[in-house]
Amino acid sequence: MTDGARSATPPGLLPREVATHCPYCALQCGMTLRSDDAGVTVHPRQFPTNRGGLCQKGWTAAELLDHPERLTTPLVRDPASGELQPASWGTALDRVVAGIRAVQDDAGRDAVAVFGGGGLTNEKAYALGKFARIGLRTRNIDYNGRFCMSSAAAAGMRAFGIDRGLPFPLADLGRADTLLLVGANPAETMPPLVRWLTEQRRNGGKLIVIDPRVTATARQADLHLQPLPGTDLAVANALLHIALIEGWVDRAYVADRTTGFDAVRRGVAAWWPARAEQLSGVPVADLEATARALGTAGRVIILTARGAEQHAKGVDTVTAYVNLALALGLPGRDGSGYGCLTGQGNGQGGREHGQKADQLPGYRKIDDPAAREHVAGVWGVSADELPGPGVPAYQLLDSLGTPGGPRALLVFGSNPVVSAPRAARIEGRLRDLDLLVVADLLLSETAALADVVLPTAQWAEEDGTMTNLEGRVLRRRALRPPPPDVRTDLAIISDLAARLADAESTDTDPAEASVRPAAVAAARFPADPAIVFAELRRASAGGTADYAGISWDRIDADDGVYWPCPTEDGPDTPRLFADRFATPDGRARFHPVDHRPAAEEVCATYPLHFTTGRVLAQYQSGTQTRRVAALRRAAPEAFVELHPDLAARLDIGDGDPVRVTSRRGEFSAPARLSAGIRPDTVFAPFHYAGKGRANSVTNDAVDPISGMPEFKICAVRVEKA
């Protein structure tokens, strides 16, 4: 294998037009950026995932490039005034290095932690994981993708031996005779995907949606199941129960390609439809109609998303739908299968190459001796120097500033003050730190608490790769250089590594000072993304997520390349599981799972179920989209969605200010009445900060396998504010 490395476009030669991809969700829609004297404009581009379509977020993405609130110089908190003040890069980085050194000298390597983001490019995710482990030599790194797809990832690993959101191209959705969406609302979260749903129905297919709310996606469905939040697992087991009774299980497939079915068959025997109806509220007739549509169609696809996954039993819930898919013989069958709709732009690649607490590049387990040897060899260190596994995101955040927990945190591309569950508690943990460093393009709510804020380049100002929800590795291309005093994340990591090495060398005698000099450290952490990607390929070679055969030139030639792709002259893998699964014996694994209640149930004091989600015009914690004028007009503030019957009982009118309170906190927002939500459930979007911060009330109970917090259900009371 050759590196296939090539230098990123020199700043002086940047083109005035580039083909690139949207900076937001995992659909990674193709777009063209053009620059002229009037500024940067977005234009549609024909690309397989979006076929020229863009949502409002994509159309307005370029408005942030020259936004007046953009950070264009480092900020350092003045000890006297307590205010963030502009500073030089030298001053800012010296402050960071001095803080890291002081904390680690006093409390050990693990006293410094790193928190990454699912929007970072593959190159940046890889460099950040490497920097944490051999630059800072800490085990404490995780990222906000833990709050996104971790439950589906864990379920996929234990069933299939591999975690790729969609193990088939997105276009397969348009060919499905039956398409089941569980906890997914792509009409608002990734609107260009809806054209595949439209195509599916135009071809005579049936669309079924499982969601507690009548969402924009549910309104397009042929059948909408509206369960109580937290009961999706019971629904899945009932569907498999019906399939068994009716003889729709593919016995030959189960015998030839799977193991463990008997235990699952015995477990779902107890989930007769009437029992599931009593628990979930989904009528028996709808359960039977859904099972029939799945069990009798030719091409069938089952997709899960955050609604099913963001629970303290999220792994088991996804496993129940995987069990259903395996029993029907779907995975690996042409036009059929199970998949997960990844949320963040690089939620897939971001976890494959080192941001997760327990993983090394290539989706290797950090406690696997062979994996450690391979990656250490690429990094030029001994395997013994690599730290062991850290802890998942919420556990890491909740330990900040506590006895024995990290006392310094470096944040890249995340805003946990808004996005974390029990957010007020996490905000307090961040305030307890000795040192908080945030690298971002805007002053997010998390950056506003920082001791040092480092301004970073935006997506149109740097080259790199992203991996979309299909496992398709794509090219992000720079249109222009960043502003004069703004650096890329890779450059920041390189500078920090060099300064840390230089600081350490002063503690050694001259004979040893050359072992870890600044120049060697800077070379070990290059700022050129092409060089970083070439190294990523070597580090991932032979791993589950093998990028060894993927070069930038090949991506450019083929509209992206699907991993695994082990050789440059060999094929990539648009479809997985045609012949075998990624398990030692090639068979998929059934796992018996049973429904269990939510971590917190309703009571007299907190009598209502609360659930969160997204709206069309906003994205994630809203740091970017809340600053775009058109998006702010479309969705200016938080709201609390209530059923009219519930509102009448509480004497709340449409638009009235209401307060939502749980055992962990409260938030307030105007009421929005809708007959499309269950009368026992209230909903709010999680994009907003301040008094409208929905995550002030969400539950921090986590899935024991994935570490996913229970965002989607907790007990609350609602009252007129």
Side-chain angles (χ1 to χ4, degrees):
M1 180 189 77
T2 61
D3 282 349
R6 61 186 188 193
S7 296
T9 310
L13 301 177
L14 286 170
R16 305 289 284 178
E17 177 177 305
V18 293
T20 189
H21 295 269
C22 179
Y24 291 116
C25 81
L27 197 58
Q28 285 295 286
C29 295
M31 61 168 56
T32 298
L33 292 181
R34 292 176 186 157
S35 177
D36 56 30
D37 293 339
V40 178
T41 53
V42 173
H43 300 268
R45 178 164 74 92
Q46 286 296 322
F47 193 76
T49 56
N50 61 306
R51 298 193 297 190
L54 292 172
C55 73
Q56 191 178 19
K57 294 187 289 290
W59 281 115
T60 59
E63 292 186 23
L64 290 170
L65 292 172
D66 298 305
H67 196 280
E69 294 183 43
R70 181 172 183 183
L71 298 173
T72 56
T73 187
L75 303 174
V76 174
R77 194 168 299 280
D78 178 52
S81 68
E83 301 296 323
L84 287 170
Q85 302 290 347
S88 69
W89 275 97
T91 298
L93 294 177
D94 284 347
R95 176 80 170 268
V96 175
V97 170
I100 290 171
R101 294 261 294 160
V103 166
Q104 289 191 325
D105 287 348
D106 184 58
R109 294 288 184 180
D110 293 336
V112 175
V114 177
F115 198 77
L120 302 182
T121 63
N122 288 316
E123 293 79 5
K124 292 191 285 188
Y126 171 82
L128 192 60
K130 178 182 176 183
F131 173 68
R133 290 174 175 118
I134 67 170
L136 297 171
R137 286 178 277 177
T138 178
R139 70 183 182 94
N140 283 319
I141 176 172
D142 211 73
Y143 81 131
N144 64 13
R146 181 75 67 172
F147 300 158
C148 177
M149 197 180 147
S150 60
S151 288
M157 288 298 292
R158 73 178 183 177
F160 307 129
I162 197 169
D163 156 35
R164 201 178 86 183
L166 293 185
F168 44 76
L170 195 65
D172 282 12
L173 303 186
R175 302 192 298 133
D177 298 309
T178 297
L179 176 58
L180 175 64
L181 299 181
V182 186
N185 182 20
E188 294 195 76
T189 59
M190 44 182 65
L193 184 145
V194 173
R195 65 182 54 214
W196 300 109
L197 307 186
T198 303
E199 181 176 302
Q200 186 248 353
R201 297 191 67 209
R202 188 184 302 124
N203 290 337
K206 176 171 285 190
L207 174 64
I208 304 174
V209 172
I210 300 178
D211 198 298
R213 302 170 59 230
V214 183
T215 63
T217 305
R219 285 194 290 272
Q220 301 180 38
D222 299 284
L223 179 61
H224 174 209
L225 281 58
Q226 200 167 359
L228 180 73
T231 61
D232 296 300
L233 198 162
V235 170
N237 279 349
L239 294 175
L240 182 48
H241 176 103
I242 297 168
L244 278 161
I245 296 298
E246 298 296 333
W248 293 324
V249 170
D250 189 333
R251 300 282 183 175
Y253 179 100
V254 169
D256 293 343
R257 303 207 59 192
T258 73
T259 63
F261 178 65
D262 284 345
V264 170
R265 177 181 54 79
R266 290 192 298 269
V268 301
W271 282 100
W272 53 92
R275 182 187 178 197
E277 178 184 28
Q278 184 178 24
L279 181 71
S280 68
V282 177
V284 168
D286 288 349
L287 292 170
E288 292 175 339
T290 300
R292 184 177 302 109
L294 295 171
T296 61
R299 294 183 298 270
V300 177
I301 292 175
I302 298 173
L303 298 180
T304 64
R306 305 302 82 74
E309 298 158 12
Q310 287 180 322
H311 295 271
K313 57 178 181 293
V315 176
D316 285 353
T317 298
V318 175
T319 297
Y321 286 95
V322 171
N323 286 342
L324 177 62
L326 288 171
L328 298 174
L330 306 182
R333 199 169 86 201
D334 182 53
S336 296
Y338 161 80
C340 164
L341 294 178
T342 308
Q344 295 188 78
N346 202 30
Q348 183 73 55
R351 68 180 176 278
E352 292 167 1
H353 300 301
Q355 286 193 98
K356 279 184 76 175
D358 59 347
Q359 287 181 192
L360 291 170
Y363 219 113
R364 289 180 160 91
K365 298 295 289 183
I366 198 169
D367 55 3
D368 176 3
R372 294 171 65 84
E373 287 289 346
H374 173 83
V375 174
V378 174
W379 289 351
V381 299
S382 164
D384 293 337
E385 294 181 59
L386 299 182
V391 296
Y394 185 78
Q395 185 178 344
L396 175 61
L397 293 172
D398 195 38
S399 69
L400 297 174
T402 63
R407 288 166 39 187
L409 179 69
L410 280 62
V411 179
F412 285 78
S414 188
N415 187 17
V417 167
V418 176
S419 63
R422 202 171 188 176
R425 180 185 179 104
I426 297 307
E427 181 178 344
R429 293 285 189 258
L430 293 169
R431 292 181 185 276
D432 289 339
L433 289 167
D434 294 356
L435 175 70
L436 175 61
V437 180
V438 176
D440 212 328
L441 56 101
L442 296 157
L443 195 68
S444 70
E445 288 72 20
T446 302
L449 302 180
D451 299 291
V452 180
V453 182
L454 304 174
T456 60
Q458 294 198 47
W459 102 107
E461 299 164 348
E462 57 184 355
D463 292 335
T465 61
M466 306 283 279
T467 304
N468 79 344
L469 77 174
E470 309 163 291
R472 187 197 303 247
V473 186
L474 309 167
R475 280 270 284 116
R476 177 178 284 181
R477 299 174 180 86
L479 174 73
R480 68 180 201 184
D485 214 22
V486 171
R487 299 184 182 181
T488 67
D489 290 311
L490 289 178
I492 292 170
I493 291 169
S494 181
D495 288 344
L496 284 174
R499 286 171 179 266
L500 283 166
D502 190 47
E504 286 196 7
S505 69
T506 63
D507 293 341
T508 63
D509 63 50
E512 297 176 343
S514 62
V515 175
R516 297 179 61 85
V520 173
R524 181 172 280 172
F525 294 94
D528 186 332
I531 297 173
V532 176
F533 188 72
E535 183 180 299
L536 181 158
R537 294 171 62 195
R538 297 195 301 274
S540 73
T544 301
D546 192 335
Y547 282 35
I550 304 177
S551 66
W552 283 11
D553 288 330
R554 185 170 179 178
I555 294 171
D556 292 347
D558 296 335
D559 276 339
V561 182
Y562 294 87
W563 70 263
C565 182
T567 60
E568 286 190 72
D569 55 358
D572 62 348
T573 317
R575 289 184 172 82
L576 300 172
F577 314 142
D579 301 313
R580 59 178 285 118
F581 295 95
T583 57
D585 61 3
R587 291 171 173 262
R589 308 285 196 253
F590 279 97
H591 289 269
V593 291
D594 202 10
H595 171 80
R596 58 183 184 271
E600 179 179 81
E601 298 189 271
V602 296
C603 62
T605 306
Y606 303 101
L608 297 169
H609 303 283
F610 176 67
T611 192
T612 66
R614 288 163 56 178
V615 296
L616 175 63
Q618 298 293 342
Y619 180 72
Q620 299 301 84
S621 72
T623 300
Q624 298 174 69
T625 51
R626 283 188 274 121
R627 287 172 166 86
V628 175
L631 303 180
R632 193 168 57 249
R633 287 193 298 270
E637 62 181 349
F639 61 86
V640 179
E641 186 175 274
L642 307 92
H643 192 279
D645 291 348
L646 173 62
R649 292 203 307 272
L650 299 175
D651 191 29
I652 292 172
D654 195 50
D656 284 350
V658 299
R659 181 168 54 250
V660 179
T661 306
S662 75
R663 292 176 175 87
R664 290 155 298 281
E666 65 178 46
F667 76 97
S668 57
R672 182 178 294 183
L673 305 192
S674 170
I677 192 168
R678 295 171 55 104
D680 56 4
T681 302
V682 294
F683 164 87
F686 62 79
H687 312 289
Y688 300 91
K691 67 179 184 179
R693 182 175 63 186
N695 274 322
S696 293
V697 307
T698 48
N699 198 347
D700 56 349
V702 298
D703 186 289
I705 299 173
S706 67
M708 170 71 79
E710 188 147 85
F711 287 103
K712 291 303 186 206
I713 183 171
C714 69
V716 300
R717 66 172 179 267
V718 176
E719 54 204 336
K720 189 181 293 186

